[in-house]
């Protein structure tokens, strides 16, 4: 026997596994074992570990020695408990074979049910249940599923239907019926025969009759499905490592479709959409589990079970409470009732919307089920975005209702308000979105193939399926607005339209869906800011009347208690700055000054400056800009008060301020009183082949010091003015694009000279700092030298990414999407800091910089500053602060707290 | 007393210093001390150390405590030996005050002569010499020099003449004479008075009468001149560190202008232009040293001294032999004869042309004066360039002579052949050169202000001055072609022309100068390759009849004995490759394939490939290119034989192959049979804002694998073909722009797959390698990962410089020259590897790469590969080879040898 255990049995009163063995047994396997240990009725079975999966892929799709013996031995224990025998001609045991990875990947991998049926065992099943229709229905489902998943029978050509569906369709036509359940036992028996002969025809071999062969075929197929395209795509989106692998669960079948005393369902211990603390779920009588999840029949609310089968409902109620208390988290459970007996098939932590996640976390803390830290660790910072997202404007929606534009109502499966153009396929959703259009993806039901289209859409609308259907589940996880199971829709994929109560919505028509109410509305409905925005920014809503804001405030309060990083914002206008402060910004990390150079009189003066031939001419033009810049800074300083404000001196190359078009040049020449030719000569002299690597940043400050002198003067005069108004301002002057100690030295001297002159002239003694952006690899390499003259470093990770990778963000369209799609890059380095590569430069720079200047202030002002993984990296690397756009400030606050908690783990 | 000694006395038979104390005493001071110790007659004096200079600049231009006492004490020793007293009314000692840095900086810093003269001491001098004219001549020179250098009297406005020159000119006009020496004692006495009153008028204070005040004023001025603009510029060009500082030498005056029994001269122990082993120099009787160097009077050849003053000549002959034997290097000496007594004022290692350096080094080895290693260490690799430079074509020059185009003959001060347009000022030389024109700078005489113009010119032509004039000295050092002291030229700066024997040469006219013969020729003269080229590349000259080639071959042989680095070349054509092999290349380090994509049928196929909408279309076009590429590679493999050949797959973005102009597009559309609109759409889709950081390198190989597949196929088919011809080829396939392990992995798989297919089809079993350029910072940071799939690294330091600095080489024109001029960058990082910054990345990459793959082959193929400092860096960093353009191969060979020798020092 091998030293490693590959197979873990569960069933009866005792399991070999437990919930903490998720890495080895996968989520499903570990939780099945745990339920058994909790005394909850679970059909017995066993789990083949994820290590077997790893072995399988490392060794050319082969299994480790000893696995077969362990499987055989576990199967015997199952047989014992079930009192049936796998493959037995008189009392056969049937099993399901399912995947189960460490992280839930709903619908991504393959499953085979009813395994163990063959011509012999099906007879035994008929004899035992007395239900030939059920037995043949199970058999034909098994053959079709096995044929698809294990034997790989797919549609032969694109656009063709599934081969088994084709046969089924033909059969129904022959029999003149519309639904599957109108077929009788003989019809189904005939279907089995036709399915098998189709398999024989296509593959040239018989369907396997030996249940053991069936079992190993299914195990191999499940392991194989770890590497199917859907699973790879899903892992990419959710950053799940490939080497985790999946476990395989083999479990005795129980049937929800043996008759009207059987049923199956899915339930949540709390509402996964809103987070409300109520038992929540759906079921179908006389059905198999897949019928609920796949959304083919719209199921009943779990409340109804109380009426239909009170004892099962009450047992289920006891179980759900036990499970939530045990796991201290909202659970998503699957159950089956077979001939009035309740079996639990699965429990796992339930996916939820951002709304629900926050509400559940806060309420569980109130209920003392979990502590604050646990609550924070359960929230993905990105989920906060849902709290900030617009909701429909009440007045405009009322008007839509009045105008009878409400087409129908479905299930509110993903909260929020979404407007977009109707599209009826996932590829269309992707195509429209690429063109910059907002779309609502409308499907009869969604399937795992639709995942990219769902990702591209603003919202998802389905005609079939309940709150636990694929569409609802995935939308919840993606944080998409979703209305599911809206039965009134008659979708016609062929024509690219849907008809709702006689009204037609074609591809491209505008449609609105309300994920709070389930309403589907023709045309656009105006949106208004979320509660949080209304309270914080518009101050138009009483916080006491804003429950969503209350949740937000609690989470933010807890986050602030734990985080070490300071959170600043990137803002260059007083109103932006005020918003950021409302969101909790503790300073400005990046105030760009170039935006202030555009607009009316300013751009004229800027162009005059650029076109001047000597310093005197430039200084004359700059003198016009000085009071305007000073005014800008005064406004910002007044809003920010005592909070530090980092102002970056002019960064972009000068040609960015010149016109682009011929006619603009003609006009400008007239305005400036120079010849068109002169203007064009100057423009040509400024033209750059690679402006990203050109004459910009401190290179401008060094060659045209008068520009920076004006800016420093404006900053310091504004600071002195505001300080004289009794506000203790803290300006931090930031030099862009430094790459060499000499640049920093020259620039620091310039700043200090001008700043000290201004302060000397003023009565207000303003304290200021001079520091630099770190956005070039060389700056990182010589950070020790640069720190001699820089009091702070602010990593400009956008440009640092561009230079480290040699990638122009403007020019990646033809290859970066390809890289990400094909997994060459695990993440887009413009979204999340490339810790493996660029991270080394950042760590080096911090170490070297602090080596020279122990108290060097270190921050980040690239767009990564609001991305949770990057925030965590900054925390680990010893940053003092991160800076991000105002609306990302709450996310950064939460991410910063989580970084501390994760570290202390 | 301070612990440090600041002042070193020399004189009599014993000096406190010695030649090995150059860092402390400067070159001049150390050699004066050494000469004293060798028993050579040197006017006594003392040296104030370079440490005082450093102290001076670190402490706000003040001197260390104790310096005055040491100066006083040394002065007393000088007085004792000379039997005269500084400032004494009856027997005054006069001194010179000169700079003297560790490295010679001829004419860059200030000097004051005849110091100690005042109204009282001048009378004593008259009494003692009985020569009133001499005394007043010395006095007026002193006052003018002191007024200029110490008191800072410069022309008041631009274009105005020197204030003392103005007065002198007025005096000569009054007296109706043309030359200075026509003025008598009274005239000169009057000049002194007028000079002093001008000083009083301008500065509001009297000329200092106290000799001690004069001395300290001069010392301060000399230290101050270390930071004058000329000196800074000179240090920049010759990479002399600012913190070396200068020493100050105070030495008793001896006079070459006391009468016809006095004189002064400059001599070399060997010919500094040709390197010939003969005593070589120039002198003037009744003159001061500055008269020789400044080139105002054209001096006599040293041979003449044998006739004029045989005993001095013979003493000098003894001294020069002693000095060369002692120093084991060619010496440049200054001497003065005062009243028949010979004094040596200076000896130092003589500057020489590249020709001379090589000849002297080789001959000194033959004479057993030095060993091979010393010879190699004395040659700057760049000097080899002079051996490769064109010389005038014999036939065309004969024709020019026949056509009487030879205008005049001057001194052959810098060997070589130069043609260019005549310019008559240094700023004009710079301006014409910036426009891409070749120029010959023509001056009556050059001065240190002209240095940038000389640098910009192809050659230098002067009307006055000898072989040791400023022009000759600087040209020699710069390796410029130079004809000096060509008295027949009548240069008119005002009109911008010169007249030679009635013929006029205007600014912009073509002129040719022969630095071997001194001839000045009207118009252009055709040039032909140097001896080395004729022997090696053209094989048109018998090596035995080529003495210059013999020198070259000896040096190269010695270099090859010592170097460890292999030298490869960057070449992409068979003829280039053959040249490189002749120059000693041991392989190709970079064969670019994109050049092969241009021209006739090829560019058509390339454009067809780019414009194809799908892979099939591209493959069709590539199939046309395949045989052409294969042919290219076969040619190169045959030339290179068993030497390794590194071939880089396609690198530039595809839009570089599309036309630039509207009409070309119209034509192309017709040719390709597509609409103009389609062409333009495709062109727009390919357009990039920053092509340097765009869709290029392996990003093309990954998104359009068929392109690289074709190239690998062509390489390997060519290799198999040539191998079947019994040549053991070694192709190395190089992937450009790798930045991520996944790129390298995918590219390696592609290369190996295609290459193995080709080899399998062929009978010739070619061995090949797959490696990568390292040209992105990220590649350096993750070099350990990349080395998993790369068998070699070749640093593409051009692009690595661009990305590390965030500098586009195409866009630096508006700031990089400014940076270098103002000393922000010590060296241009595109010329010499930025060791301080980028060097860290290279070192890291080598370390990480070899950590993964101990035998990783490491090279460089950027343009830095032929630059001596960069070659030395590569040696130190453990590279296996450097690769450079064919003509730089000899330089790299020498640099590689010197790197070994310097290391073992």
């Amino acid at each position: 026997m091998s030293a490693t255990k590959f197979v873990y049995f569960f069933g009866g009163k005792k399991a070999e596994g437990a919930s903490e063995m998720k890495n080895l047994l996968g989520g499903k396997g570990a939780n099945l074992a745990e339920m058994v240990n909790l005394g909850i009725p679970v059909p017995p079975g066993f789990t083949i570990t994820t290590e077997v999966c790893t072995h399988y892929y490392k060794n050319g799709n082969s299994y480790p020695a000893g696995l077969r013996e362990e499987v055989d031995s576990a199967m015997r224990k199952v047989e014992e408990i079930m009192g049936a025998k796998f493959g037995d001609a008189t009392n056969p045991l049937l099993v399901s074979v399912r995947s189960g990875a460490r992280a839930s990947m709903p619908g991504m991998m393959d499953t085979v049910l009813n395994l163990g049926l063959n011509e012999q065992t099906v007879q035994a099943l008929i004899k035992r249940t007395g239900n030939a229709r059920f037995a043949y229905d199970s058999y034909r489902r098994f053959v079709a599923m096995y044929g698809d998943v294990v034997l790989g029978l797919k549609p032969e050509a694109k656009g063709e239907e599934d081969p088994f569906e084709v046969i089924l369709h033909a059969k129904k036509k022959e029999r003149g019926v519309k639904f599957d359940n109108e077929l009788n036992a003989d019809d189904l028996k005939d279907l089995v025969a036709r399915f098998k002969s189709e398999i024989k025809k296509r593959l040239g071999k018989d369907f396997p009759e030996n249940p053991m062969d069936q079992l190993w075929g299914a195990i191999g197929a499940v392991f194989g499905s770890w590497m199917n395209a859907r699973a790879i795509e899903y892992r990419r989106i959710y950053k799940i490592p490939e080497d985790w692998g999946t476990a395989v669960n083999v479990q005795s079948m129980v049937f929800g479709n043996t008759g009207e005393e059987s049923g199956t369902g899915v339930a949540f211990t709390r509402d996964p959409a809103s987070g409300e603390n109520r038992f929540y779920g759906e079921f179908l009588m006389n059905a198999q589990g897949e019928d609920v999840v796949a959304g083919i029949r719209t199921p009943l609310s779990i409340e109804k079970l109380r009426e239909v089968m009170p004892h099962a409902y009450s047992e289920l109620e006891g179980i759900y409470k036990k499970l939530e208390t045990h796991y201290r988290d909202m659970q998503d459970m699957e159950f089956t009732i077979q001939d009035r007996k309740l079996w639990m098939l699965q429990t796992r932590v339930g996916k939820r919307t951002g709304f629900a996640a926050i509400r559940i976390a806060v309420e569980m803390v109130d209920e003392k089920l979990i502590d604050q830290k646990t609550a924070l660790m359960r929230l993905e910072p990105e989920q906060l975005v849902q709290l900030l997202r617009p909701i429909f404007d009440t007045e405009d929606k009322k008007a839509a209702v009045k105008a009878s534009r409400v087409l129908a109502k479905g299930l509110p499966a993903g909260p929020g308000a979404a407007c977009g153009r109707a599209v009826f396929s996932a590829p269309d959703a992707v195509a429209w979105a690429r063109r910059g259009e907002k779309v609502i993806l409308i499907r009869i039901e969604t399937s795992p193939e639709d995942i990219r289209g769902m990702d591209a859409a603003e919202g998802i609308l389905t005609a079939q399926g309940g709150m636990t259907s694929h569409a609802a589940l995935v939308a919840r996880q993606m944080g998409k607005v979703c209305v599911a199971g809206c039965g009134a829709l008659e979708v016609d994929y062929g024509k690219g339209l849907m008809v709702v109560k006689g009204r037609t919505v074609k591809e491209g028509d505008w449609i609105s869906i309300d994920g709070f109410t389930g309403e589907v509305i023709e045309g656009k409905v105006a949106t208004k800011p979320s509660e949080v925005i209304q309270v914080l920014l518009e101050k138009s809503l009483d916080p006491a009347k804003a429950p969503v804001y209350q949740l937000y405030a609690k989470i933010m309060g807890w986050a602030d208690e734990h985080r070490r990083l300071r959170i600043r914002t990137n803002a260059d206008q007083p109103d932006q700055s005020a918003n950021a402060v409302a969101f909790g910004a503790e300073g400005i990390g990046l105030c760009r000054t170039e935006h202030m150079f555009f607009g009316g009189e300013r751009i004229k003066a800027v162009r005059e400056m650029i076109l001047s031939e000597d310093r005197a001419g430039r200084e004359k033009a700059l003198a016009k800009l000085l009071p305007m810049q000073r005014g800008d800074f005064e406004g910002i300083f007044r809003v920010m008060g005592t909070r530090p404000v980092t102002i970056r001196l002019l960064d972009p190359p000068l040609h960015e301020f010149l016109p682009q078009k011929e006619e603009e040049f003609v006009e400008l020449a007239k305005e400036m009183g120079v010849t068109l030719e002169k203007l064009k000569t100057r423009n040509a002299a400024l033209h750059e082949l690679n402006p990203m690597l050109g004459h910009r940043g401190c290179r401008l400050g060094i060659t045209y010091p008068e520009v920076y002198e004006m800016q420093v003067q404006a900053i310091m005069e504004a600071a002195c003015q505001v300080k004289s108004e009794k506000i203790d301002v803290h300006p931090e002057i930031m030099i862009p694009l430094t790459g060499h100690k000499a640049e920093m030295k020259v620039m620091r001297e310039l700043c200090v000279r001008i700043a000290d002159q201004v302060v000397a002239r003023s009565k207000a003694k303003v304290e200021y700092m001079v520091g630099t952006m770190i956005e070039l690899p060389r700056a990182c390499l010589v950070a020790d030298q640069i720190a001699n003259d820089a009091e702070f470093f602010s990593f400009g990770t956008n440009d640092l990414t561009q230079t480290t990778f040699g990638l122009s963000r403007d020019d990646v369209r033809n290859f970066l999407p390809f890289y990400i799609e094909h997994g060459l890059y695990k993440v887009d380095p413009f979204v999340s800091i490339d810790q493996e590569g660029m991270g080394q430069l950042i760590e080096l720079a911090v170490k070297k910089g602090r080596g020279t200047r122990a108290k060097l202030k270190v921050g980040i002002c690239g767009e990564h500053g609001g991305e949770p993984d990057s925030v965590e990296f900054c925390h680990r690397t010893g940053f003092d602060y991160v800076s991000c756009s105002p609306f990302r400030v709450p996310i950064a606050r939460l991410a910063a707290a989580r970084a501390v908690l994760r570290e202390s783990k």
Side-chain angles (χ1 to χ4, degrees), chain A:
Chain A
M1 283 268 314
S2 122
T4 317
K5 184 171 170 62
F6 298 122
V7 175
Y8 286 72
F9 169 77
F10 56 85
K13 300 277 167 215
K14 189 81 188 86
E16 293 177 343
S19 68
E20 60 272 17
M21 293 166 75
K22 261 188 193 140
N23 293 359
L24 189 65
L25 305 181
K28 185 192 285 270
N31 285 327
L32 286 170
E34 190 77 3
M35 282 198 289
V36 167
N37 292 335
L38 287 170
I40 289 167
V42 169
F46 54 87
T47 304
I48 305 175
T49 69
T50 56
E51 286 176 358
V52 175
C53 184
T54 312
H55 178 104
Y56 182 81
Y57 282 110
K58 274 203 184 146
N59 295 276
N61 299 3
S62 74
Y63 299 113
L67 179 66
R68 273 174 193 270
E69 292 74 3
E70 287 193 46
V71 165
D72 290 345
S73 142
M75 188 63 97
R76 273 187 294 277
K77 286 192 205 168
V78 176
E79 291 170 342
E80 209 170 285
I81 287 174
M82 294 301 282
K85 252 182 105 61
F86 187 59
D88 191 70
T90 54
N91 188 15
L93 172 71
L94 302 186
V95 298
S96 64
V97 180
R98 296 170 202 260
S99 65
R102 210 190 287 194
S104 168
M105 294 171 60
M108 293 300 123
M109 286 176 292
D110 292 332
T111 291
V112 181
L113 302 177
N114 307 340
L115 189 140
L117 280 175
N118 57 21
E119 294 303 328
Q120 215 174 13
T121 55
V122 74
Q123 295 308 327
L125 192 62
I126 293 167
K127 203 174 285 173
R128 201 163 60 84
T129 61
N131 188 339
R133 194 192 173 282
F134 155 71
Y136 278 113
D137 191 36
S138 301
Y139 196 12
R140 66 104 184 173
R141 284 172 192 260
F142 165 60
V143 174
M145 212 179 285
Y146 197 95
D148 170 23
V149 167
V150 184
L151 303 176
L153 250 68
K154 304 282 172 195
E156 286 193 314
K158 231 179 169 173
E160 205 180 275
E161 261 184 290
D162 175 85
F164 303 110
E165 282 295 320
V166 172
I167 295 166
L168 176 63
H169 192 74
K171 181 76 192 178
K172 283 195 283 190
K173 211 169 169 188
E174 277 170 35
R175 298 277 293 107
V177 300
K178 193 172 172 193
F179 297 108
D180 293 10
N181 58 9
E182 294 171 280
L183 296 173
N184 64 26
D186 283 342
D187 297 333
L188 296 167
K189 184 178 174 183
D190 181 44
L191 274 180
V192 170
R194 293 200 197 178
F195 286 176
K196 286 186 172 180
S197 91
E198 179 72 13
I199 289 167
K200 171 88 184 191
K201 194 182 97 195
R202 293 235 205 156
L203 302 180
K205 56 181 179 183
D206 289 317
F207 186 86
E209 288 292 302
N210 179 339
M212 237 11 190
D213 292 348
Q214 292 172 0
L215 177 66
W216 284 101
I219 291 171
V222 172
F223 280 137
S225 69
W226 178 249
M227 295 300 267
N228 72 32
R230 289 192 319 251
I232 290 171
E233 178 73 13
Y234 187 93
R235 285 199 294 272
R236 188 184 65 71
I237 294 178
Y238 294 102
K239 299 180 191 168
I240 297 172
E242 190 178 300
D243 61 9
W244 279 6
T246 184
V248 173
N249 295 292
V250 178
Q251 191 175 19
S252 23
M253 283 299 301
V254 288
F255 294 98
N257 58 342
T258 55
E260 287 311 316
E261 303 241 291
S262 298
T264 192
V266 177
F268 294 84
T269 60
R270 306 194 182 208
D271 185 330
S274 70
E276 192 187 342
N277 186 0
R278 63 176 181 119
F279 188 40
Y280 184 91
E282 295 164 334
F283 74 102
L284 281 169
M285 294 311 280
N286 200 10
Q288 276 203 334
E290 51 173 2
D291 300 331
V292 182
V293 178
I296 293 167
R297 282 159 64 191
T298 298
L300 305 173
S301 159
I302 197 79
E303 299 293 308
K304 293 270 179 198
L305 185 62
R306 201 199 292 265
E307 298 158 27
V308 174
M309 204 174 274
H311 82 276
Y313 182 83
S314 116
E315 189 179 356
L316 194 57
E317 217 174 8
I319 288 170
Y320 101 71
K321 286 180 179 163
K322 186 189 258 184
L323 284 171
E324 189 179 271
T325 310
H326 178 72
Y327 284 109
R328 296 167 187 274
D329 201 353
M330 189 266 270
Q331 296 296 300
D332 163 2
M333 302 158 295
E334 287 178 25
F335 62 89
T336 284
I337 300 163
Q338 181 176 336
D339 305 330
R340 302 182 57 83
K341 169 150 178 55
L342 176 72
W343 293 98
M344 297 305 291
L345 299 186
Q346 170 161 295
T347 190
R348 58 183 174 191
V349 171
K351 303 266 188 228
R352 62 204 78 181
T353 64
F355 275 95
I358 292 164
R359 179 163 175 183
I360 292 170
V362 170
E363 292 184 353
M364 281 191 173
V365 171
D366 291 347
E367 296 160 20
K368 306 215 184 325
L369 254 181
I370 58 173
D371 62 10
Q372 283 180 16
K373 291 183 187 178
T374 308
L376 291 175
M377 287 309 286
R378 279 201 190 149
L379 299 176
E380 285 299 332
E382 291 289 347
Q383 292 177 321
L384 286 170
V385 171
Q386 291 183 35
L387 298 194
L388 307 180
R389 216 185 258 157
I391 54 182
F392 281 128
D393 178 77
T394 330
E395 293 310 308
D396 202 50
K397 206 174 127 189
K398 267 188 200 155
V401 172
K402 231 177 185 172
S404 298
R405 281 165 50 207
V406 177
L407 295 173
K409 202 165 173 180
L411 301 169
C419 290
R421 292 167 178 277
V423 294
F424 295 91
S425 81
D428 287 340
V430 172
W432 281 78
R434 278 217 179 126
R435 294 201 298 270
E437 298 279 0
K438 295 186 168 189
V439 297
I440 304 291
L441 175 62
I442 304 170
R443 299 288 293 167
I444 298 172
E445 53 187 304
T446 64
S447 73
E449 279 81 8
D450 294 329
I451 197 157
R452 288 189 55 203
M454 297 171 81
D455 199 24
E458 297 298 302
I460 296 141
L461 171 60
T462 63
Q464 296 182 0
M467 291 290 277
T468 55
S469 64
H470 177 268
L473 218 79
V474 173
R476 219 136 56 213
Q477 194 173 348
M478 286 182 167
K480 295 278 173 191
V481 177
C482 178
V483 171
C486 186
L489 314 184
E490 295 169 46
V491 177
D492 187 332
Y493 291 144
K495 292 187 181 150
L497 57 78
M498 68 173 176
V499 180
V500 200
K501 295 173 189 162
R503 278 188 270 178
T504 303
V505 175
K506 295 192 302 292
E507 178 173 321
D509 289 349
W510 281 90
I511 190 169
S512 303
I513 58 175
D514 188 331
F516 294 105
T517 62
E519 286 159 301
V520 179
I521 303 163
E522 230 179 349
K524 290 192 211 180
V525 176
T527 54
K528 68 173 179 182
S530 76
E531 263 188 26
V532 175
I533 306 287
Q534 288 182 59
V535 170
L536 288 179
L537 306 192
E538 308 199 332
K539 303 190 202 311
S540 59
L541 184 62
D542 177 0
K545 290 184 190 151
V548 173
Y549 168 75
Q550 293 296 339
L551 293 171
Y552 165 86
K554 262 195 181 155
I555 294 294
M556 287 295 102
W558 296 344
D560 290 350
E561 274 176 46
H562 290 96
R563 71 182 160 89
R564 180 188 60 70
L565 277 176
R566 295 272 156 189
I567 314 296
R568 296 196 189 184
T569 193
N570 301 347
D572 47 26
Q573 282 163 25
D575 55 345
Q576 281 175 4
S577 311
N579 285 352
V581 169
F583 278 133
E586 298 163 294
I588 289 181
L590 176 61
C591 173
R592 297 179 180 90
T593 53
E594 48 269 25
H595 296 166
M596 304 172 181
F597 274 33
F598 285 99
E601 285 308 303
R602 296 179 178 209
I603 186 69
K604 269 189 177 170
V606 170
R607 286 173 176 170
E608 187 186 323
M609 184 265 289
I610 295 170
L611 295 168
S612 298
E613 282 183 341
D614 56 10
R615 182 167 174 144
R618 285 192 295 272
E619 282 178 344
K620 201 175 130 224
L622 288 165
K624 295 182 195 166
L625 285 168
L626 175 69
M628 306 181 200
Q629 283 255 293
R630 187 170 50 216
D632 296 328
F633 296 133
E634 282 178 9
I636 290 169
F637 286 140
R638 287 197 188 102
V639 166
M640 295 307 292
T642 60
R643 298 175 188 87
V645 176
T646 305
I647 297 166
R648 179 177 73 183
L649 302 184
L650 192 69
D651 183 47
L654 296 182
H655 52 77
E656 283 198 7
F657 297 101
L658 292 183
Q660 300 299 317
K661 290 180 196 155
E662 177 74 17
E663 57 267 30
E664 287 177 298
F665 269 113
V666 173
E667 198 181 326
L668 181 63
K670 219 190 293 171
E671 224 167 61
M672 298 272 162
V674 295
T675 64
L676 181 62
E677 200 191 347
K678 187 185 153 185
L679 214 60
K680 288 194 160 179
T681 307
R682 181 74 182 135
N683 186 50
L686 290 172
H687 175 75
E688 294 181 315
L689 286 177
N690 295 289
M692 164 69 209
L693 308 176
H695 191 186
R696 48 170 289 232
C698 68
R699 297 163 190 171
L700 289 174
I702 283 171
T703 48
Y704 301 114
E706 55 279 10
V707 179
Y708 278 20
E709 284 169 2
M710 180 279 286
Q711 292 199 298
V712 174
Q713 187 181 344
I715 293 167
M716 293 305 294
E717 286 178 356
C720 288
Q721 171 57 35
V722 175
K723 177 117 186 192
S724 76
E725 298 162 12
K726 306 286 174 236
I727 300 173
D728 188 19
V729 292
H730 288 97
E732 301 180 344
I733 301 168
M734 181 154 75
I735 307 299
L737 213 72
T738 307
H740 195 286
K741 61 183 172 190
E743 291 173 327
M744 190 64 221
K745 188 160 182 279
V746 170
M747 289 292 93
R748 179 186 178 75
E749 281 165 4
L750 179 150
C751 292
V752 169
R753 175 167 52 77
I754 301 293
D756 287 355
Q757 282 170 11
V758 173
V759 172
R761 280 199 300 270
S762 161
K763 273 170 240 158
K765 294 302 161 229
V766 172
E767 280 173 21
Y768 63 92
M769 292 173 85
V770 180
T772 185
M773 294 270 279
I774 298 285
E775 48 190 336
L776 295 174
R778 195 178 192 282
C780 298
L781 297 165
V782 299
D784 46 344
Q785 299 175 354
I786 290 175
N788 272 317
D789 289 294
E791 291 167 90
F792 62 87
F793 283 178
S794 178
F795 286 89
T797 48
N798 297 351
D799 280 7
L800 190 58
T801 300
Q802 298 197 78
T803 45
T804 304
F805 279 78
L807 268 188
S808 159
R809 197 171 181 172
D810 296 320
D811 301 309
V812 294
R813 63 189 177 285
N814 291 328
F815 61 96
L816 189 59
F818 182 97
Y819 272 39
I820 292 171
E821 242 168 68
H822 292 76
L824 279 93
Y825 287 174
K826 301 283 178 219
V827 289
D828 182 337
F830 291 114
V831 170
S832 189
I833 284 178
D834 164 44
Q835 299 186 24
E836 168 182 85
M838 188 175 77
Q840 292 183 50
L841 282 178
I842 296 177
E843 285 163 7
L844 184 76
V846 173
K847 201 176 135 217
K848 286 196 165 199
R850 293 245 171 88
T852 298
R853 187 186 289 268
K855 292 194 168 170
L856 184 79
K857 204 191 260 196
V858 175
I860 176 177
C861 61
E863 280 171 49
H864 300 95
E867 190 274 329
D869 286 349
S870 305
V871 171
E872 191 171 331
F873 171 81
C874 293
H875 172 83
R876 276 203 320 272
T877 311
F879 280 46
D880 295 299
Y881 67 86
V882 298
S883 187
C884 55
S885 64
F887 278 64
R888 304 288 300 178
V889 167
I891 291 152
R893 285 161 78 188
L894 179 52
R898 285 164 53 91
V900 173
L901 298 175
R902 206 188 301 267
E903 200 174 41
S904 67
K905 252 187 166 177

